[in-house]
Amino acid sequence: MMENLCLSKNTRTFSVCPENFTGGKGVGGSATHGTGESAARELGIGWKISPSVVIPAGQRFTLADIRGSGSIKHIWITDDAPAGRLLVLRIYWDGSDKPSVEVPLGDFFAGANYPEYRQLSSLAVCINPKRGLNCYFEMPYRKGFRVEIENLASRGITVYYQIDCEEKDISDDALYFHAQFRRSNPVAGGIHTLLDGISGHGHYVGTYLYWGVNNNGCWVEGEMKFYIDGDKDFPTVCGTGTEDYFCGSYTFDVDGKYAEFTTPYSGMYKIDRTDDAYLSNRRFNLYRWHINDPIYFSKDLRVTVQALGWRSEGRYLPLKDDISSVAYWYSDRTDDVYPTFPDRDELEII
């Protein structure tokens, strides 16, 4: 991308945030009322009058509703939620009434339990101190987009955000960005499905797993499988183990302990409860971005992962773990029907 910085472009930059809800030209920071109104009472207009919004309990709030053609280039967001999965992010493209992105806010940024900070440094997503959530996936639109947050908490939550955009012509071959959340708690039959029922032409670009282990010992033997364009019993793309798919090896073990790591394309950047290695009830945050190696499909796609460990006498053991996932992909469709989204109790990290 660095080589493109010197090229002239017919593009207008704008951003949407509480200081400029419409992304309008020359109106940012002109609010006279907002959450910073009291702090700026001696300074007045232009001095951080509206840096955030407060979303009431049980309510939905539209962060941005934009008309025109262009793309989202970057999303930054943070909040004061007391726990993960109390906010749900939804993004709609070109007037569709079906969200193409429907994911708990933290999970979308590869951090289900993001109030407990750990640095995540990757090309697609970053989590920076204290809870700065950033996404760099480009998200094209032709007629407009709408971004919405739902507050599932029993109190109001303050949200700060900025959505950086480019207004420009979009080529005919540009695809729509999608992200879908699923959870298996516990996993049934040793198989967790990340994605199914997806049709159209596109490519798969990323995976986030929040894996809760309910057994002692190894849990990373399961294979990631991509069933492409009509594959039935057996996939076209099949990995050799969970840690292998996330570009690690040998149980992520260094000197008898799990080793956290964060790299541009993959990582296991945070392990909840880092004491007592190899005991149950630990949770692992893993991401894998298919930026240089997308999984292409022309008709349909199904993605699964096996929950598999070891038992006695060198035998495999299908696990009944708690696995949450976010699948990220691009396609030419906005009308795929997603599974019914879980309620607050089904989302809760227990």
Side-chain angles (χ1 to χ4, degrees):
M1 295 298 295
M2 295 287 286
E3 67 271 15
N4 294 326
L5 288 176
C6 63
L7 301 180
S8 176
K9 299 179 179 66
N10 183 24
T11 301
R12 182 181 79 89
T13 296
F14 69 96
S15 69
V16 181
C17 72
E19 289 282 18
N20 189 349
F21 286 113
T22 66
K25 180 175 172 53
V27 298
S30 62
T32 56
H33 300 286
T35 58
E37 184 176 346
S38 176
R41 62 187 179 276
E42 297 177 0
L43 300 175
I45 191 171
W47 291 93
K48 206 169 181 176
I49 299 291
S50 180
S52 60
V53 297
V54 178
I55 305 177
Q59 299 297 308
R60 297 189 181 198
F61 182 85
T62 298
L63 274 61
D65 192 354
I66 300 299
R67 297 293 176 266
S69 68
S71 65
I72 296 174
K73 299 291 287 187
H74 170 238
I75 300 173
W76 166 85
I77 194 165
T78 191
D79 60 69
D80 66 351
R85 295 187 175 164
L86 293 176
L87 298 174
V88 180
L89 174 68
R90 295 182 177 91
I91 304 178
Y92 304 78
W93 305 122
D94 291 354
S96 175
D97 60 356
K98 294 184 176 66
S100 292
V101 172
E102 188 174 36
V103 182
L105 182 70
D107 293 76
F108 179 78
F109 294 91
N113 190 24
Y114 64 96
E116 179 191 337
Y117 168 73
R118 200 85 90 254
Q119 181 67 35
L120 192 169
S121 301
S122 79
L123 289 175
V125 169
C126 294
I127 300 180
N128 300 326
K130 175 182 180 181
R131 57 166 81 179
L133 309 177
N134 297 268
C135 176
Y136 295 92
F137 279 118
E138 183 165 4
M139 307 178 191
Y141 55 91
R142 292 177 173 82
K143 299 178 182 178
F145 70 90
R146 180 163 58 93
V147 180
E148 174 187 278
I149 291 282
E150 181 180 8
N151 179 7
L152 303 179
S154 57
R155 68 160 175 84
I157 292 179
T158 301
V159 175
Y160 300 78
Y161 68 94
Q162 183 166 325
I163 303 171
D164 297 313
C165 306
E166 293 179 348
E167 182 180 89
K168 58 187 179 182
D169 292 333
I170 296 299
S171 65
D172 292 341
D173 59 356
L175 301 175
Y176 294 106
F177 179 80
H178 299 260
Q180 183 184 123
F181 172 86
R182 294 193 181 210
R183 185 181 192 180
S184 300
N185 184 25
V187 174
I191 304 293
H192 171 73
T193 297
L194 292 79
L195 197 60
D196 197 7
I198 298 305
S199 58
H201 177 85
H203 46 274
Y204 186 92
V205 295
T207 301
Y208 166 62
L209 290 184
Y210 187 58
W211 194 305
V213 175
N214 294 328
N215 291 78
N216 294 336
C218 177
W219 54 277
V220 297
E221 297 300 337
E223 298 172 341
M224 284 285 298
K225 298 185 178 184
F226 293 84
Y227 298 81
I228 303 170
D229 295 342
D231 290 345
K232 298 299 183 185
D233 295 334
F234 301 102
T236 297
V237 176
C238 182
T240 59
T242 307
E243 82 273 53
D244 310 335
Y245 171 74
F246 290 99
C247 304
S249 67
Y250 291 108
T251 326
F252 306 112
D253 183 294
V254 177
D255 297 328
K257 293 184 178 180
Y258 296 109
E260 296 176 344
F261 68 102
T262 176
T263 72
Y265 300 106
S266 64
M268 183 175 71
Y269 76 97
K270 184 173 72 167
I271 305 169
D272 296 352
R273 290 186 56 199
T274 55
D275 58 339
D276 300 328
Y278 295 106
L279 296 184
S280 64
N281 301 315
R282 303 166 64 84
R283 296 180 183 273
F284 299 82
N285 293 265
L286 306 116
Y287 66 89
R288 167 78 154 88
W289 309 131
H290 293 270
I291 295 174
N292 288 328
D293 58 343
I295 307 293
Y296 295 99
F297 60 95
S298 60
K299 294 190 300 183
D300 54 66
L301 179 67
R302 177 163 58 99
V303 184
T304 67
V305 64
Q306 297 169 327
L308 193 65
W310 290 98
R311 69 187 316 151
S312 62
E313 299 178 347
R315 295 173 292 160
Y316 285 138
L317 172 67
L319 305 174
K320 296 182 179 180
D321 288 346
D322 175 4
I323 302 178
S324 300
S325 62
V326 181
Y328 307 78
W329 76 100
Y330 289 92
S331 84
D332 57 358
R333 304 285 293 271
T334 60
D335 57 352
D336 285 321
V337 178
Y338 290 8
T340 300
F341 196 77
D343 63 23
R344 174 178 170 174
D345 289 343
E346 293 174 311
L347 290 172
E348 185 180 7
I349 299 169
I350 301 172

